[in-house]
Amino acid sequence: MTEITTRPLKRSDKQGWLKLWAAYLLFYKQDLAPEVTEKLFERLLSDTGHRAFVAVQGDELVGLVHYLFHESTWALSSTCYLEDLFVSENLRGGGAGRKLIEAVYQAATDEPSASGKVYWHTHDHNTRARQLYDRIGVLSDFVRYDRP
């Protein structure tokens, strides 16, 4: 089996990325307008904030992670928010998720204006992913609320 590697998203990745993005949205039971997806892909390739890495096995994209840096009211340096993470179902537990998170960790370390801190959210029922998160992160005490 070919090793899984990570690298920044490229324009030529669009079809593979779209396939992974659609599966991610299905997993979270979300239905986005096509123009939202199109705008997101363009933002991920621009220098406007959102960034992305992909996990690749051979010539196939098998995972994605989206992240961004934002200012904080509690620090002079920015913080990294890992917004989306998805790995093809048949490869979960094989290290791709860890490699994608570690790529974001490294990006947060390398970003001159950042503190190196990285945080993310997941659904409490996402038990498979939480097994990984519990090994490479620290569960915070914060509870999230949304506007009704």
Side-chain angles (χ1 to χ4, degrees):
M1 180 168 278
T2 308
E3 180 184 0
I4 296 171
T5 59
T6 61
R7 61 166 171 76
L9 179 71
K10 300 185 295 191
R11 184 162 299 283
S12 60
D13 294 328
K14 187 169 186 179
Q15 291 310 309
W17 177 87
L18 283 169
K19 181 179 172 186
L20 290 169
W21 181 244
Y24 176 74
L25 294 175
L26 183 64
F27 178 83
Y28 278 115
K29 299 179 174 96
Q30 296 298 309
D31 185 24
L32 297 181
E35 58 268 19
V36 174
T37 293
E38 188 63 34
K39 177 76 171 181
L40 170 60
F41 187 76
E42 292 304 318
R43 279 197 327 249
L44 292 170
L45 295 173
S46 72
D47 293 330
T48 60
H50 278 88
R51 303 174 188 188
F53 289 111
V54 290
V56 181
Q57 186 176 49
D59 294 330
E60 182 182 2
L61 268 58
V62 297
L64 61 79
V65 65
H66 304 152
Y67 64 102
L68 59 97
F69 293 97
H70 65 84
E71 293 179 344
S72 170
T73 58
W74 293 7
L76 297 175
S77 52
S78 61
T79 300
C80 182
Y81 175 47
L82 189 159
E83 190 166 6
D84 305 304
L85 175 68
F86 184 78
V87 172
S88 296
E89 189 172 354
N90 61 327
L91 291 174
R92 292 183 190 152
R98 174 185 289 271
K99 287 182 177 188
L100 287 164
I101 292 171
E102 288 174 348
V104 173
Y105 282 179
Q106 189 62 53
T109 298
D110 293 346
E111 178 65 33
S113 66
S115 64
K117 293 181 182 178
V118 178
Y119 72 100
W120 64 94
H121 303 100
T122 194
H123 281 235
D124 61 351
H125 64 74
N126 194 357
T127 54
R128 182 109 188 235
R130 290 184 67 188
Q131 290 174 5
L132 169 62
Y133 302 161
D134 288 343
R135 289 193 302 272
I136 64 171
V138 176
L139 180 63
S140 80
D141 295 329
F142 283 89
V143 177
R144 176 183 152 160
Y145 288 88
D146 293 321
R147 181 180 178 180

